[in-house]
Amino acid sequence: MAITLVNPAGLPQIDAYRQVSIATGSKLVFVAGQVAWDVGGVTVGEGDLAAQVEQCYLNVSTALADAGATFDDVAKLTVYVVDWTPDKMPLMMEGIARAAAKLGTVPVPPASLLGVASLDVPEHLVEVEATAVID
């Protein structure tokens, strides 16, 4: 595997992600921001942050698979959430957990969560992009 995830001593031990990823592979995979569209371009979970997070992670997984990668190869995630407030974190974690259950893995690479005013389509509440490294 090309990615090793660690929480270094001296940094907070955060359950939702690891602080550092160490990449040794030679092929980079950049996944464009994925929103809560199904294969037909229909928004999944309109108004439901957890459902949209789940769909975004499933879409990231689909994109990774096409490149020969999985969430185990992800070095970094960036998550954009419309009108972010800390009270939305339980819904974020619920959506991630639901996606993890379907994918059979717990996606915990280093991640940045950014609050934004809006996304490309008004009903989209979240967007997730990924960078992966494979051999």
Side-chain angles (χ1 to χ4, degrees):
M1 193 161 335
I3 300 292
T4 302
L5 301 176
V6 296
N7 271 327
L11 291 178
Q13 304 297 301
I14 299 172
D15 291 335
Y17 64 90
R18 301 301 174 262
Q19 296 280 11
V20 176
S21 65
I22 302 164
T24 58
S26 58
K27 183 177 180 182
L28 296 175
V29 179
F30 298 94
V31 177
Q34 297 298 303
V35 294
W37 276 332
D38 66 12
V39 69
V42 175
T43 299
V44 172
E46 191 168 337
D48 182 344
L49 181 60
Q52 289 200 16
V53 169
E54 176 184 6
Q55 186 64 44
C56 289
Y57 273 72
L58 295 175
N59 289 350
V60 167
S61 179
T62 298
L64 290 168
D66 192 67
T70 70
F71 262 103
D72 290 337
D73 301 305
V74 173
K76 176 79 167 65
L77 289 173
T78 305
V79 180
Y80 304 91
V81 182
V82 174
D83 297 326
W84 172 257
T85 56
D87 64 314
K88 293 181 180 179
M89 186 57 83
L91 293 171
M92 287 286 303
M93 298 309 295
E94 178 185 336
I96 293 169
R98 289 179 357 200
K102 287 183 178 176
L103 298 171
T105 187
V106 178
V108 292
S112 295
L113 189 153
L114 303 166
V116 296
S118 64
L119 293 170
D120 63 330
V121 175
E123 58 267 12
H124 290 164
L125 304 175
V126 62
E127 183 171 326
V128 180
E129 64 183 26
T131 301
V133 180
I134 54 179
D135 292 319

mmCIF file of all heavy atoms in Angstrom, residues 58-93:
data_model
loop_
_atom_site.group_PDB
_atom_site.id
_atom_site.type_symbol
_atom_site.label_atom_id
_atom_site.label_comp_id
_atom_site.label_asym_id
_atom_site.label_seq_id
_atom_site.Cartn_x
_atom_site.Cartn_y
_atom_site.Cartn_z
ATOM 1 N N LEU A 58 -19.431 8.079 -1.431
ATOM 2 C CA LEU A 58 -19.636 6.981 -2.374
ATOM 3 C C LEU A 58 -19.173 7.380 -3.770
ATOM 4 O O LEU A 58 -18.553 6.570 -4.480
ATOM 5 C CB LEU A 58 -21.109 6.554 -2.386
ATOM 6 C CG LEU A 58 -21.631 5.947 -1.081
ATOM 7 C CD1 LEU A 58 -23.133 5.692 -1.178
ATOM 8 C CD2 LEU A 58 -20.881 4.686 -0.708
ATOM 9 N N ASN A 59 -19.433 8.623 -4.170
ATOM 10 C CA ASN A 59 -18.983 9.089 -5.479
ATOM 11 C C ASN A 59 -17.459 9.170 -5.551
ATOM 12 O O ASN A 59 -16.863 8.821 -6.569
ATOM 13 C CB ASN A 59 -19.611 10.447 -5.814
ATOM 14 C CG ASN A 59 -21.095 10.341 -6.111
ATOM 15 O OD1 ASN A 59 -21.644 9.255 -6.256
ATOM 16 N ND2 ASN A 59 -21.765 11.477 -6.166
ATOM 17 N N VAL A 60 -16.822 9.622 -4.471
ATOM 18 C CA VAL A 60 -15.361 9.640 -4.431
ATOM 19 C C VAL A 60 -14.835 8.215 -4.608
ATOM 20 O O VAL A 60 -13.898 7.971 -5.377
ATOM 21 C CB VAL A 60 -14.827 10.277 -3.133
ATOM 22 C CG1 VAL A 60 -13.332 10.011 -2.959
ATOM 23 C CG2 VAL A 60 -15.098 11.778 -3.125
ATOM 24 N N SER A 61 -15.452 7.257 -3.913
ATOM 25 C CA SER A 61 -15.034 5.863 -4.019
ATOM 26 C C SER A 61 -15.160 5.350 -5.452
ATOM 27 O O SER A 61 -14.277 4.635 -5.949
ATOM 28 C CB SER A 61 -15.858 4.990 -3.074
ATOM 29 O OG SER A 61 -15.480 3.650 -3.187
ATOM 30 N N THR A 62 -16.238 5.702 -6.127
ATOM 31 C CA THR A 62 -16.437 5.295 -7.517
ATOM 32 C C THR A 62 -15.345 5.870 -8.411
ATOM 33 O O THR A 62 -14.780 5.162 -9.260
ATOM 34 C CB THR A 62 -17.823 5.748 -8.021
ATOM 35 O OG1 THR A 62 -18.821 5.104 -7.224
ATOM 36 C CG2 THR A 62 -18.036 5.411 -9.480
ATOM 37 N N ALA A 63 -15.026 7.140 -8.214
ATOM 38 C CA ALA A 63 -13.969 7.777 -9.004
ATOM 39 C C ALA A 63 -12.616 7.126 -8.734
ATOM 40 O O ALA A 63 -11.840 6.865 -9.661
ATOM 41 C CB ALA A 63 -13.917 9.273 -8.697
ATOM 42 N N LEU A 64 -12.330 6.852 -7.453
ATOM 43 C CA LEU A 64 -11.070 6.197 -7.098
ATOM 44 C C LEU A 64 -10.973 4.824 -7.755
ATOM 45 O O LEU A 64 -9.920 4.458 -8.301
ATOM 46 C CB LEU A 64 -10.956 6.050 -5.583
ATOM 47 C CG LEU A 64 -10.740 7.325 -4.780
ATOM 48 C CD1 LEU A 64 -10.952 7.056 -3.287
ATOM 49 C CD2 LEU A 64 -9.350 7.918 -5.039
ATOM 50 N N ALA A 65 -12.052 4.057 -7.698
ATOM 51 C CA ALA A 65 -12.045 2.708 -8.263
ATOM 52 C C ALA A 65 -11.715 2.734 -9.745
ATOM 53 O O ALA A 65 -10.985 1.868 -10.247
ATOM 54 C CB ALA A 65 -13.398 2.027 -8.021
ATOM 55 N N ASP A 66 -12.222 3.725 -10.459
ATOM 56 C CA ASP A 66 -11.948 3.827 -11.890
ATOM 57 C C ASP A 66 -10.455 4.043 -12.161
ATOM 58 O O ASP A 66 -9.948 3.659 -13.209
ATOM 59 C CB ASP A 66 -12.766 4.951 -12.521
ATOM 60 C CG ASP A 66 -12.732 4.890 -14.030
ATOM 61 O OD1 ASP A 66 -13.282 3.917 -14.592
ATOM 62 O OD2 ASP A 66 -12.125 5.801 -14.651
ATOM 63 N N ALA A 67 -9.760 4.642 -11.199
ATOM 64 C CA ALA A 67 -8.321 4.873 -11.335
ATOM 65 C C ALA A 67 -7.493 3.738 -10.735
ATOM 66 O O ALA A 67 -6.272 3.804 -10.687
ATOM 67 C CB ALA A 67 -7.948 6.193 -10.657
ATOM 68 N N GLY A 68 -8.176 2.708 -10.217
ATOM 69 C CA GLY A 68 -7.471 1.592 -9.600
ATOM 70 C C GLY A 68 -7.107 1.837 -8.152
ATOM 71 O O GLY A 68 -6.187 1.222 -7.622
ATOM 72 N N ALA A 69 -7.821 2.736 -7.498
ATOM 73 C CA ALA A 69 -7.523 3.109 -6.111
ATOM 74 C C ALA A 69 -8.739 2.861 -5.221
ATOM 75 O O ALA A 69 -9.846 2.617 -5.709
ATOM 76 C CB ALA A 69 -7.111 4.575 -6.035
ATOM 77 N N THR A 70 -8.511 2.944 -3.902
ATOM 78 C CA THR A 70 -9.577 2.858 -2.904
ATOM 79 C C THR A 70 -9.328 3.961 -1.876
ATOM 80 O O THR A 70 -8.324 4.678 -1.944
ATOM 81 C CB THR A 70 -9.584 1.503 -2.179
ATOM 82 O OG1 THR A 70 -8.420 1.432 -1.329
ATOM 83 C CG2 THR A 70 -9.597 0.331 -3.141
ATOM 84 N N PHE A 71 -10.202 4.044 -0.883
ATOM 85 C CA PHE A 71 -9.989 5.017 0.183
ATOM 86 C C PHE A 71 -8.694 4.736 0.949
ATOM 87 O O PHE A 71 -8.126 5.639 1.548
ATOM 88 C CB PHE A 71 -11.182 5.072 1.142
ATOM 89 C CG PHE A 71 -12.125 6.201 0.827
ATOM 90 C CD1 PHE A 71 -13.325 5.953 0.187
ATOM 91 C CD2 PHE A 71 -11.804 7.510 1.157
ATOM 92 C CE1 PHE A 71 -14.190 6.997 -0.118
ATOM 93 C CE2 PHE A 71 -12.671 8.561 0.861
ATOM 94 C CZ PHE A 71 -13.860 8.297 0.226
ATOM 95 N N ASP A 72 -8.217 3.503 0.925
ATOM 96 C CA ASP A 72 -6.943 3.187 1.579
ATOM 97 C C ASP A 72 -5.771 3.899 0.916
ATOM 98 O O ASP A 72 -4.700 4.013 1.505
ATOM 99 C CB ASP A 72 -6.689 1.681 1.578
ATOM 100 C CG ASP A 72 -7.637 0.934 2.503
ATOM 101 O OD1 ASP A 72 -8.167 1.556 3.450
ATOM 102 O OD2 ASP A 72 -7.833 -0.270 2.272
ATOM 103 N N ASP A 73 -5.957 4.367 -0.313
ATOM 104 C CA ASP A 73 -4.900 5.058 -1.061
ATOM 105 C C ASP A 73 -5.004 6.577 -0.964
ATOM 106 O O ASP A 73 -4.185 7.289 -1.531
ATOM 107 C CB ASP A 73 -4.967 4.654 -2.542
ATOM 108 C CG ASP A 73 -4.808 3.160 -2.730
ATOM 109 O OD1 ASP A 73 -3.804 2.613 -2.242
ATOM 110 O OD2 ASP A 73 -5.703 2.543 -3.354
ATOM 111 N N VAL A 74 -6.019 7.083 -0.285
ATOM 112 C CA VAL A 74 -6.237 8.532 -0.215
ATOM 113 C C VAL A 74 -5.240 9.167 0.751
ATOM 114 O O VAL A 74 -5.134 8.779 1.906
ATOM 115 C CB VAL A 74 -7.689 8.860 0.184
ATOM 116 C CG1 VAL A 74 -7.868 10.354 0.415
ATOM 117 C CG2 VAL A 74 -8.639 8.386 -0.909
ATOM 118 N N ALA A 75 -4.527 10.159 0.246
ATOM 119 C CA ALA A 75 -3.553 10.891 1.058
ATOM 120 C C ALA A 75 -4.173 12.122 1.698
ATOM 121 O O ALA A 75 -3.721 12.575 2.754
ATOM 122 C CB ALA A 75 -2.362 11.311 0.198
ATOM 123 N N LYS A 76 -5.228 12.686 1.083
ATOM 124 C CA LYS A 76 -5.806 13.942 1.587
ATOM 125 C C LYS A 76 -7.212 14.115 1.047
ATOM 126 O O LYS A 76 -7.474 13.862 -0.123
ATOM 127 C CB LYS A 76 -4.935 15.123 1.131
ATOM 128 C CG LYS A 76 -5.449 16.502 1.477
ATOM 129 C CD LYS A 76 -5.158 16.847 2.921
ATOM 130 C CE LYS A 76 -5.356 18.293 3.272
ATOM 131 N NZ LYS A 76 -6.686 18.797 3.178
ATOM 132 N N LEU A 77 -8.121 14.531 1.925
ATOM 133 C CA LEU A 77 -9.482 14.912 1.552
ATOM 134 C C LEU A 77 -9.684 16.389 1.853
ATOM 135 O O LEU A 77 -9.153 16.902 2.840
ATOM 136 C CB LEU A 77 -10.522 14.133 2.360
ATOM 137 C CG LEU A 77 -10.712 12.662 2.072
ATOM 138 C CD1 LEU A 77 -11.667 12.057 3.097
ATOM 139 C CD2 LEU A 77 -11.240 12.447 0.671
ATOM 140 N N THR A 78 -10.459 17.047 1.031
ATOM 141 C CA THR A 78 -10.918 18.398 1.333
ATOM 142 C C THR A 78 -12.438 18.379 1.221
ATOM 143 O O THR A 78 -12.993 17.909 0.232
ATOM 144 C CB THR A 78 -10.321 19.441 0.368
ATOM 145 O OG1 THR A 78 -8.897 19.329 0.407
ATOM 146 C CG2 THR A 78 -10.730 20.848 0.761
ATOM 147 N N VAL A 79 -13.090 18.857 2.279
ATOM 148 C CA VAL A 79 -14.551 18.837 2.360
ATOM 149 C C VAL A 79 -15.043 20.269 2.483
ATOM 150 O O VAL A 79 -14.591 21.012 3.349
ATOM 151 C CB VAL A 79 -15.023 18.006 3.577
ATOM 152 C CG1 VAL A 79 -16.541 17.972 3.659
ATOM 153 C CG2 VAL A 79 -14.437 16.590 3.526
ATOM 154 N N TYR A 80 -15.964 20.636 1.607
ATOM 155 C CA TYR A 80 -16.565 21.968 1.615
ATOM 156 C C TYR A 80 -18.017 21.820 2.054
ATOM 157 O O TYR A 80 -18.762 21.032 1.464
ATOM 158 C CB TYR A 80 -16.513 22.583 0.210
ATOM 159 C CG TYR A 80 -15.127 22.637 -0.366
ATOM 160 C CD1 TYR A 80 -14.623 21.593 -1.129
ATOM 161 C CD2 TYR A 80 -14.308 23.741 -0.134
ATOM 162 C CE1 TYR A 80 -13.345 21.641 -1.654
ATOM 163 C CE2 TYR A 80 -13.022 23.794 -0.658
ATOM 164 C CZ TYR A 80 -12.555 22.739 -1.409
ATOM 165 O OH TYR A 80 -11.276 22.789 -1.926
ATOM 166 N N VAL A 81 -18.417 22.562 3.088
ATOM 167 C CA VAL A 81 -19.780 22.459 3.613
ATOM 168 C C VAL A 81 -20.419 23.845 3.598
ATOM 169 O O VAL A 81 -19.852 24.808 4.124
ATOM 170 C CB VAL A 81 -19.795 21.892 5.052
ATOM 171 C CG1 VAL A 81 -21.224 21.755 5.552
ATOM 172 C CG2 VAL A 81 -19.077 20.548 5.104
ATOM 173 N N VAL A 82 -21.602 23.920 3.014
ATOM 174 C CA VAL A 82 -22.337 25.182 2.939
ATOM 175 C C VAL A 82 -22.792 25.598 4.337
ATOM 176 O O VAL A 82 -23.311 24.774 5.102
ATOM 177 C CB VAL A 82 -23.551 25.047 1.989
ATOM 178 C CG1 VAL A 82 -24.417 26.306 2.026
ATOM 179 C CG2 VAL A 82 -23.073 24.760 0.565
ATOM 180 N N ASP A 83 -22.554 26.853 4.665
ATOM 181 C CA ASP A 83 -22.989 27.437 5.945
ATOM 182 C C ASP A 83 -22.557 26.592 7.147
ATOM 183 O O ASP A 83 -23.343 26.321 8.053
ATOM 184 C CB ASP A 83 -24.514 27.641 5.968
ATOM 185 C CG ASP A 83 -24.977 28.635 4.921
ATOM 186 O OD1 ASP A 83 -24.231 29.593 4.637
ATOM 187 O OD2 ASP A 83 -26.083 28.449 4.375
ATOM 188 N N TRP A 84 -21.292 26.196 7.161
ATOM 189 C CA TRP A 84 -20.776 25.327 8.218
ATOM 190 C C TRP A 84 -20.885 25.971 9.595
ATOM 191 O O TRP A 84 -20.577 27.144 9.779
ATOM 192 C CB TRP A 84 -19.315 24.978 7.964
ATOM 193 C CG TRP A 84 -18.714 24.249 9.123
ATOM 194 C CD1 TRP A 84 -17.869 24.744 10.068
ATOM 195 C CD2 TRP A 84 -18.977 22.899 9.496
ATOM 196 N NE1 TRP A 84 -17.575 23.782 10.997
ATOM 197 C CE2 TRP A 84 -18.251 22.636 10.673
ATOM 198 C CE3 TRP A 84 -19.766 21.885 8.957
ATOM 199 C CZ2 TRP A 84 -18.266 21.399 11.309
ATOM 200 C CZ3 TRP A 84 -19.783 20.660 9.585
ATOM 201 C CH2 TRP A 84 -19.032 20.431 10.754
ATOM 202 N N THR A 85 -21.343 25.181 10.552
ATOM 203 C CA THR A 85 -21.273 25.499 11.972
ATOM 204 C C THR A 85 -20.921 24.203 12.685
ATOM 205 O O THR A 85 -21.268 23.108 12.199
ATOM 206 C CB THR A 85 -22.609 26.055 12.523
ATOM 207 O OG1 THR A 85 -23.646 25.109 12.247
ATOM 208 C CG2 THR A 85 -22.957 27.398 11.898
ATOM 209 N N PRO A 86 -20.232 24.281 13.818
ATOM 210 C CA PRO A 86 -19.816 23.060 14.514
ATOM 211 C C PRO A 86 -20.962 22.117 14.894
ATOM 212 O O PRO A 86 -20.745 20.912 14.995
ATOM 213 C CB PRO A 86 -19.104 23.596 15.760
ATOM 214 C CG PRO A 86 -18.593 24.934 15.356
ATOM 215 C CD PRO A 86 -19.658 25.486 14.441
ATOM 216 N N ASP A 87 -22.174 22.632 15.048
ATOM 217 C CA ASP A 87 -23.280 21.746 15.399
ATOM 218 C C ASP A 87 -23.658 20.797 14.262
ATOM 219 O O ASP A 87 -24.431 19.863 14.456
ATOM 220 C CB ASP A 87 -24.500 22.554 15.868
ATOM 221 C CG ASP A 87 -25.077 23.437 14.780
ATOM 222 O OD1 ASP A 87 -24.299 24.125 14.089
ATOM 223 O OD2 ASP A 87 -26.311 23.445 14.626
ATOM 224 N N LYS A 88 -23.089 20.990 13.069
ATOM 225 C CA LYS A 88 -23.346 20.090 11.945
ATOM 226 C C LYS A 88 -22.425 18.865 11.954
ATOM 227 O O LYS A 88 -22.625 17.938 11.178
ATOM 228 C CB LYS A 88 -23.195 20.839 10.617
ATOM 229 C CG LYS A 88 -24.265 21.902 10.413
ATOM 230 C CD LYS A 88 -24.107 22.601 9.095
ATOM 231 C CE LYS A 88 -25.205 23.656 8.943
ATOM 232 N NZ LYS A 88 -25.092 24.383 7.680
ATOM 233 N N MET A 89 -21.425 18.854 12.849
ATOM 234 C CA MET A 89 -20.468 17.747 12.858
ATOM 235 C C MET A 89 -21.127 16.380 13.063
ATOM 236 O O MET A 89 -20.749 15.422 12.381
ATOM 237 C CB MET A 89 -19.381 17.977 13.912
ATOM 238 C CG MET A 89 -18.285 16.921 13.872
ATOM 239 S SD MET A 89 -17.459 16.770 12.260
ATOM 240 C CE MET A 89 -16.274 18.087 12.374
ATOM 241 N N PRO A 90 -22.118 16.228 13.937
ATOM 242 C CA PRO A 90 -22.751 14.898 14.058
ATOM 243 C C PRO A 90 -23.361 14.408 12.738
ATOM 244 O O PRO A 90 -23.293 13.220 12.429
ATOM 245 C CB PRO A 90 -23.826 15.103 15.131
ATOM 246 C CG PRO A 90 -23.304 16.237 15.956
ATOM 247 C CD PRO A 90 -22.616 17.155 14.972
ATOM 248 N N LEU A 91 -23.934 15.313 11.955
ATOM 249 C CA LEU A 91 -24.491 14.920 10.656
ATOM 250 C C LEU A 91 -23.379 14.525 9.688
ATOM 251 O O LEU A 91 -23.528 13.570 8.906
ATOM 252 C CB LEU A 91 -25.339 16.046 10.072
ATOM 253 C CG LEU A 91 -26.614 16.371 10.839
ATOM 254 C CD1 LEU A 91 -27.264 17.638 10.296
ATOM 255 C CD2 LEU A 91 -27.581 15.196 10.789
ATOM 256 N N MET A 92 -22.263 15.248 9.725
ATOM 257 C CA MET A 92 -21.100 14.888 8.901
ATOM 258 C C MET A 92 -20.635 13.482 9.252
ATOM 259 O O MET A 92 -20.426 12.644 8.379
ATOM 260 C CB MET A 92 -19.946 15.867 9.134
ATOM 261 C CG MET A 92 -20.122 17.235 8.534
ATOM 262 S SD MET A 92 -19.928 17.231 6.756
ATOM 263 C CE MET A 92 -18.299 16.547 6.570
ATOM 264 N N MET A 93 -20.460 13.230 10.547
ATOM 265 C CA MET A 93 -19.955 11.936 10.997
ATOM 266 C C MET A 93 -20.948 10.816 10.672
ATOM 267 O O MET A 93 -20.541 9.705 10.325
ATOM 268 C CB MET A 93 -19.639 11.977 12.488
ATOM 269 C CG MET A 93 -18.552 12.990 12.853
ATOM 270 S SD MET A 93 -17.044 12.857 11.861
ATOM 271 C CE MET A 93 -16.464 11.253 12.367
#
